[in-house]
Amino acid sequence: MMAKGSKAWYEVYERYIFEIEQEEAEGLKIPERYRLGALCRPWEMNGNLFSKKAGRYSPSRLNITIGSVTLTAWLTVGLIHYAANVILYAEGPALCWLPLILALIPASFLAVLVTAARNMWGRSRSLVKP
């Protein structure tokens, strides 16, 4: 959520800077190559991850992707762990508190999913849909 919110604000600032440059093109007297609307090109680029040169990557998109992959991995591991506990509980004697844990895990999991799906955490009051 933090990465997506940061990207939204960056795009807001970028749009306003671009609009100011377009409106004040004559008044600002900024050469075209220095304006935000000009093509963005670093000095050198190399997409190889082992190179120390700049690459064509979006840090905010990478953060969002890392978050999505981590969430998927966490959910997979959690579901496997939960299924293993259910199987072990069904096969033989278990601890007396295990049924309570097995009931609380899906309830908490569902609460997290519902609130995250409805975007109820950390929503900006300023940003509106484009």
Side-chain angles (χ1 to χ4, degrees):
M1 288 180 190
M2 189 172 86
K4 289 178 76 65
S6 175
K7 180 150 181 69
W9 281 109
Y10 182 81
E11 289 178 2
V12 167
Y13 302 144
E14 192 176 63
R15 183 182 318 140
Y16 279 121
I17 291 170
F18 183 75
E19 288 174 2
I20 289 170
E21 287 178 346
Q22 294 302 312
E23 291 172 4
E24 303 292 331
E26 296 301 317
L28 292 176
K29 298 194 181 354
I30 298 173
E32 181 66 30
R33 66 185 183 139
Y34 296 122
R35 292 188 198 166
L36 191 61
L39 294 174
C40 299
R41 289 186 212 138
W43 288 278
E44 294 181 58
M45 287 200 328
N46 187 338
N48 186 347
L49 292 178
F50 297 107
S51 170
K52 294 181 182 171
K53 295 178 181 165
R56 254 183 83 191
Y57 302 105
S58 168
S60 58
R61 286 185 181 161
L62 288 172
N63 284 335
I64 293 166
T65 303
I66 289 169
S68 299
V69 168
T70 304
L71 175 66
T72 304
W74 180 80
L75 292 176
T76 304
V77 169
L79 289 173
I80 291 170
H81 183 71
Y82 181 74
N85 277 325
V86 169
I87 291 168
L88 289 176
Y89 178 72
E91 285 183 353
L95 301 171
C96 61
W97 49 266
L98 192 56
L100 176 65
I101 297 296
L102 291 177
L104 288 177
I105 289 174
S108 60
F109 176 74
L110 188 61
V112 168
L113 275 182
V114 167
T115 54
R118 297 189 67 213
N119 286 325
M120 294 169 35
W121 298 329
R123 183 174 279 190
S124 171
R125 293 187 178 122
S126 301
L127 290 173
V128 294
K129 290 183 179 180

